[in-house]
């Protein structure tokens, strides 16, 4: 099962390639944040913001309330959510 999971941006590590370190359930991963760029202008500051992540890409920004509610629901999924976190730990974007 593939899920989109909320994560909080910890740092932008490569501005040119639009890569950021994101904390997802205690797992820190590098994800591509290029899909969050708007109309080609300067990107919004991302550090501290919540984003929805799927297969190594931040798909959208979400507010903290939505992120925490989603994380609570995901944690109730038990084994499926645990599997998603294991797969996230094993993945890497360089």
């Amino acid at each position: 099962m593939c899920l989109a999971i909320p994560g909080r941006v910890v740092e932008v590590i490569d501005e040119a390639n639009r890569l950021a370190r994101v904390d997802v359930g205690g797992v820190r991963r590098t994800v591509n944040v290029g899909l969050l760029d708007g109309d080609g202008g300067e990107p919004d500051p991302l550090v501290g913001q919540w984003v929805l992540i799927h297969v190594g890409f931040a798909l959208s920004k979400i507010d903290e309330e939505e992120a925490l509610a989603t994380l609570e629901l995901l944690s109730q999924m038990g084994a499926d959510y645990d599997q998603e976190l294991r797969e996230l730990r094993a993945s890497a974007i360089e």
Side-chain angles (χ1 to χ4, degrees):
M1 173 185 288
C2 290
L3 303 171
I5 300 178
R8 186 173 231 157
V9 178
V10 177
E11 65 179 319
V12 175
I13 60 172
D14 185 342
E15 186 67 47
N17 290 309
R18 303 301 292 136
L19 299 177
R21 178 98 48 224
V22 178
D23 184 293
V24 179
V27 178
R28 289 196 175 190
R29 275 287 161 254
T30 300
V31 300
N32 185 295
V33 294
L35 294 174
L36 303 178
D37 295 344
D39 56 11
E42 284 296 308
D44 293 333
L46 290 174
V47 174
Q49 292 196 35
W50 287 92
V51 293
L52 197 56
I53 301 164
H54 181 64
V55 294
F57 290 88
L59 302 175
S60 63
K61 294 177 192 173
I62 57 175
D63 64 35
E64 185 172 29
E65 183 179 343
E66 180 180 354
L68 296 177
T70 301
L71 287 171
E72 175 61 28
L73 288 172
L74 290 171
S75 70
Q76 293 174 17
M77 292 177 63
D80 288 331
Y81 180 59
D82 292 339
Q83 177 64 31
E84 191 70 18
L85 288 177
R86 280 192 298 275
E87 290 174 8
L88 185 63
R89 278 186 193 94
S91 67
I93 294 178
E94 303 298 331

